[in-house]
Amino acid sequence: MPSFAEAARRGEFVVTAEVTPPKGGAVEHMVQQALHLKGRVHGVNITDGSRAVLRMSSWAACLVLQRQGLDPICQMTCRDRNRIALQADLMGASALGLNNILALTGDPIRAGDFPQARAVFDLEAVRLLRLIAALNQGQDGNEKKLPDGATHLFAGAAVDPQLASWSSLEKRFARKIEAGAQFFQSQLIVDFDRLDQFMTKIARPYGKPVLAGIFLLKSAKNAQFINKNVPGVQIPEAIIQRLAEASDPLEAGIAIAAEQVQAARQLCQGVHIMAVRREDLIPTILDRAGVDPLREPSHDSR
């Protein structure tokens, strides 16, 4: 199958999905869910302490999935590591062939299950991107040569096209591009007019892949929970009503997600699908949206 980086660079419509690592030492359930995505997505994101909740390290879970023939995208947050630890993990990821990195600042400690923990935040996402760029050029964060060679990392960043401040969105996006971001995955998108404006006015001139975040809503209650607990997201009342009135809310959620994939396909270079413990339904969403299974890239034999 084509790698995520290859497909993104070629300008293909790329599909990624998110998988949560286990809370413990057993990986069987994570692997079982992730294998549903094989041949359907270009890359599988493994979260790194999402919402500051303790789970297996992203790079370890990525290595497990890489051994299953999947192309993982290792999320790396600045919340829990200083710049020494970040560089150490990035060099280790590169050595293991875990080259896709999503650079994130990280959710606040108070949101998670260890609110008494001490946050680090030695760096944030833009400076982490700059650090990755330096490592790829064979230098450490002190601009000293790496005696054992450069890393080979394909770094990306998060973006929220629905951010209230348009000027802040524009400046932050440009800074991430300047720092070396090669792709962007967006937060959950519900306002596709806003996404269209973002692509036209800000993102498209830079020519970097933007993947729209698509979330599988399982019920009206699920949508209301997101509105209450996920900053910056406001699922429209019409969608909540559609889920509430459906005889099968999960089926309605699949239909909504498929419609959103179709809408995103007209606006940007890919989608990032979040199904939270129902990754097995992602192929159904893609089928409904008319997104074909992946094919091996053709080679001219002449």
Side-chain angles (χ1 to χ4, degrees):
M1 290 297 130
S3 75
F4 166 67
E6 289 170 349
R9 287 176 175 137
R10 282 200 301 265
E12 294 180 22
F13 183 78
V14 287
V15 181
T16 59
E18 194 163 280
V19 172
T20 303
K23 193 166 187 173
V27 298
E28 289 79 9
H29 179 69
M30 176 190 72
V31 170
Q32 183 183 42
Q33 289 294 90
L35 286 176
H36 290 291
L37 306 173
K38 201 168 185 178
R40 298 309 307 261
V41 306
H42 295 87
V44 178
N45 279 55
I46 301 295
T47 57
D48 182 22
S50 178
R51 295 186 297 114
V53 172
L54 170 66
R55 289 191 177 273
M56 181 182 288
S57 64
S58 178
W59 70 261
C62 282
L63 187 58
V64 170
L65 295 190
Q66 184 190 65
R67 290 170 175 170
Q68 296 292 329
L70 293 156
D71 193 14
I73 300 170
C74 183
Q75 294 189 3
M76 194 163 293
T77 68
C78 302
R79 179 192 57 238
D80 306 320
R81 306 169 182 85
N82 64 19
R83 67 193 68 192
I84 299 171
L86 285 165
Q87 289 174 94
D89 282 352
L90 288 164
M91 289 187 285
S94 182
L96 293 168
L98 304 173
N99 296 319
N100 305 315
I101 303 291
L102 186 73
L104 301 168
T105 299
D107 297 319
I109 288 287
R110 66 180 180 274
D113 53 356
F114 284 85
Q116 73 276 23
R118 182 176 296 176
V120 179
F121 292 118
D122 186 21
L123 304 179
E124 45 70 54
V126 172
R127 287 189 289 169
L128 177 55
L129 286 165
R130 290 184 183 135
L131 187 64
I132 294 169
L135 293 173
N136 282 345
Q137 292 163 10
Q139 294 185 328
D140 67 15
N142 288 328
E143 298 184 352
K144 298 289 180 63
K145 182 180 178 180
L146 295 172
D148 297 307
T151 58
H152 304 281
L153 301 169
F154 186 63
V159 65
D160 184 5
Q162 296 162 152
L163 195 67
S165 171
W166 194 260
S167 61
S168 295
L169 173 61
E170 188 170 18
K171 289 175 184 175
R172 186 89 174 148
F173 188 80
R175 286 181 66 209
K176 288 181 177 180
I177 291 282
E178 177 273 330
Q182 298 300 307
F183 69 93
F184 290 85
Q185 291 174 322
S186 92
Q187 309 287 8
L188 187 164
I189 295 291
V190 292
D191 186 343
F192 285 85
D193 289 336
R194 178 76 172 186
L195 176 63
D196 188 12
Q197 293 173 31
F198 166 73
M199 291 302 304
T200 302
K201 297 179 180 179
I202 296 177
R204 197 165 288 125
Y206 289 103
K208 299 296 183 183
V210 173
L211 282 63
I214 307 296
F215 193 93
L216 172 61
L217 297 167
K218 303 172 185 73
S219 66
K221 185 178 179 181
N222 180 209
Q224 290 162 343
F225 175 86
I226 289 169
N227 279 352
K228 183 178 179 181
N229 294 283
V230 180
V233 174
Q234 193 62 39
I235 296 168
E237 186 59 35
I239 289 180
I240 296 175
Q241 195 67 24
R242 181 174 169 183
L243 290 163
E245 294 174 354
S247 58
D248 185 342
L250 181 57
E251 174 63 26
I254 292 170
I256 291 166
E259 291 162 11
Q260 291 177 335
V261 170
Q262 289 175 322
R265 199 171 189 178
Q266 306 304 312
L267 303 174
C268 56
Q269 197 187 319
V271 289
H272 175 59
I273 305 178
M274 297 161 275
V276 188
R277 293 188 292 275
R278 290 309 309 264
E279 289 81 9
D280 56 300
L281 295 175
I282 290 176
T284 301
I285 293 169
L286 293 171
D287 287 341
R288 298 269 188 94
V291 178
D292 294 330
L294 304 187
R295 296 179 180 177
E296 292 285 358
S298 60
H299 299 284
D300 193 338
S301 59
R302 291 176 294 176

